[in-house]
């Protein structure tokens, strides 16, 4: 096992070839540890979504190497990558990634059907409690507000105990207050569950809630801010996170 | 099943529509199969009732009963456990009120094709007949005296028997001894020569090996004989063709319907695949859905068919062969699932990346 949940080394991604070649990602390296929350900001088309999908094993890079929880996914078939995603990765998407015909509790039950090692009943209760959606378990996604839906999406993503949590514009469809609230919940829940978290967003205000901020411009990734100076500790957590987790848990 | 059933419950209308289509198609298939076996029964009932293994006709008759004519004594020459001779002619019977085209069978009362009356008595006196009970519905009854076309003879109905229709005509069974008085033109013939041999159309046999077929005769199994009844095979093929066509139609309808539903859900499936839920799981869900809908549709279609059968006038020749209907029902379900494979293919092709970045 590696101490980093996600390791990306010299990853490049090129679309097309010849004159139509587009280098979406230029030699990028990124490591994220358990309990660490990072944000990637940047204008649309800068390559941040490409980076996220490669990090989640949804597509392979043109060059470089990607490891998720110690598995070199660059060498795996789509079928095996799908398994890695199921085991290790949780996705939270821009708009709701909920199944429209399942109630909130059935959304989680579906994960029980396809995978073992999900949260126990107590852990689940705790998670729903923390996200403030305990009372919504029998509702369908259509009966929920945008903020509620994203909170359910967070619950769904964390329910399978992922080591890597990827959020693509999780607050895009929300107003500011809701966006802050969801971001706060996302962070505290992710930290509590020791997931390495990457949030892709163009909303710079949300970066208040993360440990590191990276900026993506034209396929190049820069470290913009490292708030905790967060070096991972032996147990895979950080001083900052201990502190931050407590603050957010109140 | 979990996903399949939850979705059906949540989207009752659209799945009710798919079920309704399957229901209507299965209703039509079942009804056509009932009609096919009913019409087949019209033709072959009497032959089936003989429970014979085979039939001897003359070689020159080319499998046609009416064209076959032989001496009754030939029955002693064929190798079989049991034999029965049959003389047949088509006549119009008139009881004074109703006329009906009938098939007149001249038989020997001691041979195995002698029918057991379901009502009334066997024929015993001269010129008595046991009639097909389908004539009862046409207005004939026991004791009726029947004038026959083409002869001056009057027959008397002494009883009715079931399953007695041959080539769509109700059968009158009578003694072979009297039959020659009835056969059209027979009177003139017998006037010429007093001692002419007794003539029959065919010899029906049970058991035995048809290895040594007497000269000028041809042996065929009962099924072959039935298939060569005038119009029988053509009629059957037509209805069977319609049924097979309906299988193809239901496959296509289910395929289109489910494909549209699947296309609507592409982004949802994409998100689920991104989360690592396998194509196999999602495909199984679609197959399970189709199975549930098809079973419901076919069962309701079956129920409706049987119900309709209760209210049909007797003139409609429908008879339900439940074994055959079960097979057709199963085929419909299989065919529906084949239609769902188009959707499975669509699901397999969905790229989770597009769902995520879209």
């Amino acid at each position: 096992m590696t101490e980093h949940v996600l390791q990306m080394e010299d990853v490049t991604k090129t679309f097309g070839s010849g004159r139509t070649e587009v280098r979406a990602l230029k030699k990028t390296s990124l490591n994220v540890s358990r309990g660490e929350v990072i944000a990637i900001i940047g204008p649309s088309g800068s390559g941040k979504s490409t980076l996220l999908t490669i990090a989640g094993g949804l597509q392979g890079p043109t060059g470089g190497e990607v490891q998720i929880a110690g598995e070199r996914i660059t060498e795996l078939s789509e079928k095996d990558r799908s398994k890695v995603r199921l085991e290790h990765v949780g996705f939270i998407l821009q708009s709701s990634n909920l199944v429209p015909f399942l109630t909130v509790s059935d959304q989680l039950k579906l994960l029980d059907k396809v995978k073992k090692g999900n949260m126990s009943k107590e852990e689940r209760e705790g998670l729903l409690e923390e996200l403030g959606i305990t009372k919504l378990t029998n509702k369908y996604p259509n009966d929920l507000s945008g903020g509620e839906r994203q909170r359910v999406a967070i619950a769904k993503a964390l329910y399978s105990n992922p080591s890597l949590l990827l959020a693509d514009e999780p607050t895009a469809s929300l107003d500011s207050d809701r966006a802050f609230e969801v971001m706060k919940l996302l962070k505290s829940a992710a930290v509590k569950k020791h997931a390495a978290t990457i949030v892709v967003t163009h909303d710079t205000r949300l970066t208040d809630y993360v440990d590191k901020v990276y900026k993506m411009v034209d396929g190049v990734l820069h470290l913009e801010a490292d708030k905790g100076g967060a070096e991972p500790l032996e147990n895979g957590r950080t001083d900052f996170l201990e502190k931050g987790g407590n603050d957010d848990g109140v | 099943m979990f996903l399949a059933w939850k979705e059906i419950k949540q989207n009752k209308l659209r799945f009710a529509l798919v079920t309704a289509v399957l229901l209507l198609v299965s209703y039509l298939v079942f009804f056509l199969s009932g009609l096919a076996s009913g019409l087949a029964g019209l033709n072959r009932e009497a032959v089936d009732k003989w429970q014979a293994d085979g039939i001897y006709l003359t070689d020159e008759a080319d499998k046609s009963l009416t064209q076959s004519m032989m001496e009754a004594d030939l029955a002693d020459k064929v190798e079989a456990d049991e034999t029965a001779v049959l003389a047949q002619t088509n006549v119009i019977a008139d009881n004074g009120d109703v006329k009906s085209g009938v098939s007149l069978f001249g038989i020997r009362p001691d041979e195995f094709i002698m029918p057991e009356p379901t009502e009334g008595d066997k024929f015993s006196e001269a010129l008595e007949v046991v009639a097909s009970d389908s004539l009862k519905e046409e207005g004939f009854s026991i004791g009726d005296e029947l004038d026959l076309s083409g002869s001056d003879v009057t027959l008397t109905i002494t009883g009715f028997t079931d399953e007695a229709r041959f080539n769509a005509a109700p059968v009158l069974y009578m003694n072979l001894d009297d039959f020659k008085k009835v056969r059209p033109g027979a009177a003139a013939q017998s006037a010429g020569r007093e001692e002419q041999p007794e003539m029959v159309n065919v010899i029906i046999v049970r058991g035995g090996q048809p290895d040594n077929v007497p000269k000028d005769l041809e042996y065929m199994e009962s099924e072959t004989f039935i298939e060569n009844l005038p119009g029988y095979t053509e009629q059957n093929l037509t209805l069977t063709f319609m049924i097979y066509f309906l299988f193809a139609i239901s496959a296509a309808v289910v395929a289109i319907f489910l494909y549209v539903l699947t296309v609507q859900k592409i982004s949802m499936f994409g998100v689920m695949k991104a989360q690592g839920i396998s194509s196999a799981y999602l495909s199984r869900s679609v197959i399970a859905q189709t199975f549930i809908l098809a079973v419901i549709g076919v069962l309701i279609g079956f129920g409706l068919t049987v119900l309709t059968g209760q209210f049909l006038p007797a003139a409609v020749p429908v008879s339900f062969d439940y074994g055959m209907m079960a097979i057709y029902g199963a085929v419909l379900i299989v065919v529906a699932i084949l239609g769902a494979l188009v959707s499975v293919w669509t699901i397999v092709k969905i790229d989770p990346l597009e769902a995520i970045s879209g």
Side-chain angles (χ1 to χ4, degrees):
Chain A
M1 278 294 289
T2 163
E3 54 183 321
H4 296 299
V5 175
L6 175 72
Q7 283 185 293
M8 300 176 82
E9 244 163 76
D10 297 336
V11 170
T12 59
K13 184 70 183 176
T14 312
F15 295 107
S17 60
R19 281 166 56 175
T20 58
E21 186 178 275
V22 177
R23 297 178 66 196
L25 218 51
K26 292 164 194 158
K27 274 208 175 184
T28 303
S29 295
L30 178 65
N31 295 328
V32 192
S33 326
R34 277 197 172 273
E36 192 177 18
V37 181
I38 70 158
I40 299 174
I41 56 171
S44 55
S46 60
K48 57 189 195 302
S49 284
T50 306
L51 180 69
L52 193 76
T53 51
I54 291 174
L58 286 169
Q59 62 179 334
T62 311
E65 194 176 287
V66 181
Q67 286 189 18
I68 298 175
E71 299 235 38
R72 298 151 81 95
I73 61 158
T74 24
E75 288 161 8
L76 298 178
S77 67
E78 161 56 24
K79 202 178 165 189
D80 291 331
R81 275 192 280 153
S82 165
K83 249 179 232 159
V84 171
R85 290 202 298 270
L86 189 62
E87 289 294 322
H88 300 295
V89 185
F91 282 101
I92 301 167
L93 303 176
Q94 205 170 106
S95 55
S96 163
N97 55 353
L98 304 175
V99 182
F101 50 81
L102 294 181
T103 63
V104 171
S105 58
D106 283 340
Q107 308 268 352
L108 302 183
K109 218 183 267 176
L110 173 63
L111 290 171
D112 285 333
K113 299 272 170 192
V114 295
K115 176 180 178 280
K116 289 186 175 65
N118 295 325
M119 286 184 180
S120 65
K121 196 164 180 291
E122 291 73 36
E123 284 178 296
R124 190 185 66 198
E125 299 300 320
L127 178 69
L128 296 183
E129 181 85 24
E130 169 143 13
L131 291 168
I133 51 175
T134 312
K135 285 189 181 138
L136 306 177
T137 47
N138 286 323
K139 293 203 170 178
Y140 290 93
N142 275 346
D143 302 329
L144 304 177
S145 71
E148 285 169 338
R149 250 178 275 179
Q150 282 311 65
R151 279 186 273 162
V152 173
I154 294 170
K156 193 181 171 185
L158 285 171
Y159 180 62
S160 58
N161 287 321
S163 25
L164 181 60
L165 186 62
L166 302 177
D168 188 7
E169 306 275 10
T171 58
S173 55
L174 305 176
D175 61 47
S176 296
D177 288 347
R178 294 273 167 240
F180 288 132
E181 187 187 307
V182 164
M183 196 60 209
K184 211 161 112 184
L185 287 170
L186 171 60
K187 191 202 168 190
S188 72
V191 168
K192 277 214 171 119
K193 299 300 163 198
H194 310 302
T197 307
I198 302 178
V199 180
V200 161
T201 180
H202 62 266
D203 190 345
T204 46
R205 296 167 303 173
L206 298 180
T207 55
D208 294 347
Y209 297 95
V210 302
D211 306 330
K212 287 180 187 169
V213 179
Y214 289 89
K215 190 168 187 182
M216 183 73 113
V217 181
D218 289 334
V220 183
L221 194 66
H222 306 282
L223 182 60
E224 185 99 333
D226 189 347
K227 295 172 188 167
E231 277 303 308
L233 300 176
E234 298 256 317
N235 62 3
R237 306 205 53 187
T238 63
D239 285 335
F240 171 79
L241 286 174
E242 293 286 353
K243 199 149 45 77
N246 289 338
D247 287 345
D248 287 330
V250 173
Chain B
M1 275 303 209
F2 172 77
L3 209 54
W5 185 240
K6 293 279 177 187
E7 185 180 8
I8 291 174
K9 269 187 6 191
Q10 195 59 20
N11 296 296
K12 289 189 188 72
L13 179 65
R14 59 179 73 165
F15 288 106
L17 287 174
V18 187
T19 309
V21 171
L22 280 164
L23 183 160
L24 290 173
V25 170
S26 64
Y27 181 66
L28 192 52
V29 164
F30 288 144
F31 206 81
L32 277 178
S33 91
L35 202 59
S37 73
L39 284 171
L42 277 185
N43 277 295
R44 60 184 291 166
E45 230 170 54
V47 180
D48 285 336
K49 200 180 183 183
W50 297 338
Q51 297 184 320
D53 293 316
I55 291 171
Y56 285 91
L57 293 89
T58 57
D59 202 9
E60 59 188 13
D62 191 25
K63 302 183 175 67
S64 164
L65 179 131
T66 50
Q67 296 305 314
S68 171
M69 191 65 76
M70 65 182 82
E71 291 178 16
D73 295 344
L74 278 172
D76 301 332
K77 293 185 183 159
V78 301
E79 289 176 16
D81 299 343
E82 279 184 279
T83 62
V85 294
L86 170 70
Q88 188 271 347
T89 186
N90 289 322
V91 293
I92 306 292
D94 180 3
N95 72 350
D97 296 326
V98 211
K99 287 178 191 164
S100 178
V102 298
S103 186
L104 196 58
F105 280 13
I107 60 173
R108 287 179 176 153
D110 55 344
E111 290 181 336
F112 71 84
I113 62 173
M114 177 70 182
E116 205 54 49
T118 48
E119 197 183 328
D121 302 307
K122 296 177 179 178
F123 56 80
S124 48
E125 306 281 319
L127 297 176
E128 286 183 344
V129 294
V130 171
S132 161
D133 59 3
S134 63
L135 281 174
K136 215 162 49 175
E137 286 146 19
E138 290 184 38
F140 291 83
S141 47
I142 292 176
D144 276 5
E145 307 216 320
L146 310 175
D147 287 327
L148 300 188
S149 59
S151 86
D152 303 331
V153 180
T154 304
L155 302 178
T156 309
I157 298 178
T158 60
F160 287 113
T161 186
D162 60 354
E163 292 173 40
R165 283 178 297 188
F166 177 72
N167 219 337
V171 172
L172 298 181
Y173 286 96
M174 68 182 296
N175 198 314
L176 184 62
D177 294 339
D178 303 332
F179 186 82
K180 51 179 169 281
K181 301 172 193 163
V182 178
R183 195 191 282 276
Q189 250 180 34
S190 57
R193 284 194 5 224
E194 274 306 306
E195 277 305 311
Q196 68 162 17
E198 201 163 26
M199 298 300 283
V200 295
N201 291 80
V202 293
I203 301 163
I204 300 149
V205 298
R206 279 182 184 167
Q209 289 297 320
D211 292 332
N212 296 313
V213 180
K215 188 168 175 294
D216 293 334
L217 291 194
E218 184 188 4
Y219 173 84
M220 68 180 77
E221 291 183 354
S222 292
E223 199 56 43
T224 318
F225 174 70
I226 290 168
E227 281 163 14
N228 281 286
L229 290 176
Y232 177 83
T233 303
E234 291 82 347
Q235 187 186 71
N236 248 6
L237 278 181
T238 309
L239 289 168
T240 312
F241 179 75
M242 285 165 79
I243 289 170
Y244 288 173
F245 215 84
L246 281 171
F247 289 148
I249 291 174
S250 52
V253 168
V254 170
I256 294 165
F257 229 122
L258 287 178
Y259 178 70
V260 171
L261 291 185
T262 304
V263 165
Q264 282 183 337
K265 291 184 288 189
I266 277 183
S267 66
M268 183 196 90
F269 282 134
V271 169
M272 287 164 99
K273 283 176 81 167
Q275 288 165 343
I277 296 176
S278 65
S279 294
Y281 183 84
L282 299 174
S283 302
R284 274 202 300 276
S285 166
V286 170
I287 300 275
Q289 248 168 14
T290 313
F291 182 77
I292 293 171
L293 301 178
V295 167
I296 293 173
V298 166
L299 284 181
I300 299 177
F302 180 82
L304 275 183
T305 312
V306 173
L307 197 68
T308 313
Q310 302 296 317
F311 295 103
L312 280 177
V316 183
V318 165
S319 88
F320 296 118
D321 175 348
Y322 293 111
M324 202 65 198
M325 287 167 85
I327 293 172
Y328 284 152
V331 170
L332 274 172
I333 292 168
V334 170
V335 147
I337 287 172
L338 287 180
L341 291 181
V342 178
S343 294
V344 168
W345 176 236
T346 312
I347 290 173
V348 168
K349 276 195 316 183
I350 292 173
D351 184 358
L353 183 62
E354 277 168 37
I356 291 279
S357 43

